[in-house]
Amino acid sequence: MKEAVVPTLHRYCEVFLRPHTVEVHYNGAARGSAIMTEGAPQGSPLSPMLWLIYIGRTLKEADTQISHIEIPTRRSSASLQMNPLPATLQVDLFSYSDDVNPLVVSTRTTKKEHRQLCHQVNQVLEAAANQHHLR
């Protein structure tokens, strides 16, 4: 679904994301220049907003896929008698700048099962990032 964007805002973002020249400084002195062909200028107030808009769809799709991860159900009858509640999984995705970090909380799972769940969450995030060409 394509949403309406104010034309001037659209033009502003296009100009903002065009390749631009940056000066390279080292030891307090300008050492040359380079052309930046991807991304947004470092330190710009617009950069974090564009990044969040850009990864929003990816995080939503990853969150949906994570909600379908199967939680281990192998439990002995002795452990079921002591604690009849099922195992649970909760995953919260935190994004800060260009990092996405999952907080994986599982209950009534073994350490090995928890590690497997963490691995599955990471696989889902990696696949979603690759699908949307995120590095």
Side-chain angles (χ1 to χ4, degrees):
M1 176 171 93
K2 197 170 190 174
E3 295 183 29
V5 177
V6 177
T8 53
L9 177 61
H10 187 265
R11 280 193 300 277
Y12 177 75
C13 289
E14 279 182 339
V15 169
F16 180 78
L17 295 171
R18 278 190 193 146
H20 51 280
T21 304
V22 295
E23 278 193 21
V24 178
H25 289 260
Y26 181 73
N27 281 343
R31 305 289 181 177
S33 62
I35 296 177
M36 193 171 145
T37 59
E38 291 183 351
Q42 192 75 9
S44 166
L46 186 57
S47 299
M49 184 60 68
L50 290 175
W51 173 249
L52 291 174
I53 291 168
Y54 184 71
I55 67 167
R57 176 182 59 164
T58 304
L59 292 179
K60 187 173 183 175
E61 288 177 17
D63 195 45
T64 299
Q65 291 174 23
I66 288 169
S67 70
H68 291 92
I69 290 177
E70 290 190 30
I71 303 166
T73 56
R74 284 182 298 111
R75 295 176 65 195
S76 68
S77 59
S79 70
L80 283 173
Q81 288 173 357
M82 289 176 53
N83 191 352
L85 298 172
T88 63
L89 173 66
Q90 177 182 338
V91 179
D92 294 321
L93 300 177
F94 294 93
S95 174
Y96 178 76
S97 292
D98 59 354
D99 290 330
V100 175
N101 296 295
L103 173 63
V104 180
V105 179
S106 65
T107 60
R108 294 176 286 284
T109 58
T110 65
K111 286 182 183 181
K112 181 179 178 181
E113 291 167 338
H114 181 76
R115 281 193 301 271
Q116 289 171 340
L117 290 169
C118 290
H119 181 70
Q120 286 179 283
V121 168
N122 285 332
Q123 283 182 315
V124 167
L125 289 171
E126 190 71 29
N130 289 335
Q131 179 183 350
H132 294 116
H133 310 290
L134 294 172
R135 296 182 188 159

